[in-house]
Structures are given as structure tokens and as C-alpha cells.
Amino acid sequence: MLNEHDFKNLVRNAPLFAIDLVVLNDSGEILLGQRKNAPAKGDWFVPGGRVHKNEPLADAFKRISQVELGQSFEFNQAWSLGLYDHFYDDSVFGKEISTHYVNAPYLIRQQNTQQLDLPTDQHQDYRWVSMEQMEQDNTVHKNSKVFLGALKNTIKNCHVGIDPVSTKG
């Protein structure tokens, strides 16, 4: 782990690599958390986290899902939704340093949402929303919407078990 000084320099000078967890329930709804920290503080966002140096993706996926969802998920049981740039005008260090993430969202099917033990250190609240609600809701950060086309295609083409045009909620 980097100390704060080194992490600040990293954020200032390089992109960060992160995994987003697109958790889909049996009703075709996506889990969102309201962020406590910059960037995107106060916005609704899918859970996720940074990959650490020398951490294999499978290990990072398992760690991030445990930290963000209170339950470990296996990397090989998720579907990749592509790679996306996320640019923010601020960072955890304030408005003087911007943040750039290269982000890899992964679809996770969660059939029993009762098993999730959602932590409150990164998100102050959670809710489940349909894809249609997500597209229309201005409180959902735009970076949590960039993968919706890929999500619909993945559901349609990979037999994920949910109608991709579900608008329940």
C-alpha cells in the first residue's frame, strides 16, 4: 500500500485502474451506493475499488467484492462489460488535483440480495434501480451509466437470466 504522499503523487500524475461491480438482482435491478468521498461525492454509483500494484485481477476482484459488498465473488463468475475512462475534476485530496480512472466494470448476478452485508465506509446509503431508472436519474453519476449498453448486450447474449429491457422498480 502506498503512503498518503505517494498516493497523492500517483493521483496527480497517472491514471488509476479500478474494478466496478455491477450487481444485478433477480428483478433486473442494479445496486447503487451514494458515495461519501470524492471524487463523485454525494452521487449514486455502482460499488467498486482500485486494483493494487502486483495484485492479480482475480485477487483484486475477490477483495473488492468483499470490501464493497460484504461478500466475496469469484472473478471467473463475472462478465466483463469493457474498459472505460473516468475523468473527475477533483480527487480525494481536493479540487486542486483531478482524478483519472481506467475502469473495468464487471457484471455479477446476485440471486439472494439478503446475503449482501453492505458496508457504510464508502457509501452512506444503497438502493436497487432498474436500468431505465438509472438512465434517467440525474443523481446517478454519468460514469455509472457508460456501461449500460454493454450490460444490455451481455444479458442478451450471455444468457444471464434477466430480460435486458426489464424496467421493474
Side-chain angles (χ1 to χ4, degrees):
M1 274 305 245
L2 294 174
N3 64 45
E4 185 175 334
H5 174 73
D6 289 343
F7 183 59
K8 188 174 187 177
N9 282 331
L10 177 65
V11 171
R12 183 187 329 249
N13 294 300
L16 305 171
F17 185 75
I19 293 173
D20 273 354
L21 305 171
V22 182
V23 183
L24 192 71
N25 69 15
D26 287 334
S27 299
E29 297 167 318
I30 298 167
L31 178 66
L32 297 176
Q34 190 174 26
R35 288 189 50 83
K36 284 184 172 181
N37 304 308
K41 183 177 180 176
D43 289 330
W44 291 90
F45 218 97
V46 294
R50 290 185 311 274
V51 176
H52 298 156
K53 182 171 175 65
N54 296 324
E55 183 179 34
L57 279 177
D59 293 350
F61 189 87
K62 194 171 196 173
R63 175 187 55 79
I64 292 167
S65 63
Q66 180 65 53
V67 168
E68 292 284 314
L69 303 174
Q71 179 182 345
S72 292
F73 289 89
E74 297 295 330
F75 184 65
N76 63 0
Q77 295 176 316
W79 290 268
S80 172
L81 300 177
L83 286 174
Y84 302 89
D85 283 306
H86 290 193
F87 296 99
Y88 302 93
D89 292 333
D90 65 348
S91 72
V92 69
F93 301 106
K95 295 185 186 260
E96 67 278 357
I97 299 175
S98 64
T99 308
H100 174 199
Y101 279 98
V102 176
N103 189 269
Y106 283 88
L107 169 61
I108 298 173
R109 289 284 292 120
Q110 177 60 16
Q111 297 184 351
N112 183 356
T113 57
Q114 300 297 329
Q115 292 177 353
L116 296 179
D117 183 20
L118 301 170
T120 57
D121 51 326
Q122 295 290 326
H123 300 95
Q124 59 195 16
D125 198 11
Y126 292 91
R127 63 183 172 138
W128 293 92
V129 298
S130 69
M131 285 181 251
E132 183 178 275
Q133 287 173 314
M134 222 172 136
E135 289 172 324
Q136 296 173 1
D137 188 339
N138 291 332
T139 66
V140 177
H141 197 279
K142 67 182 180 179
N143 288 337
S144 268
K145 298 179 183 186
V146 295
F147 58 77
L148 288 174
L151 175 60
K152 290 175 185 177
N153 286 336
T154 300
I155 292 169
K156 179 180 175 187
N157 297 324
C158 295
H159 309 289
V160 173
I162 292 292
D163 177 4
V165 295
S166 173
T167 57
K168 253 188 166 172

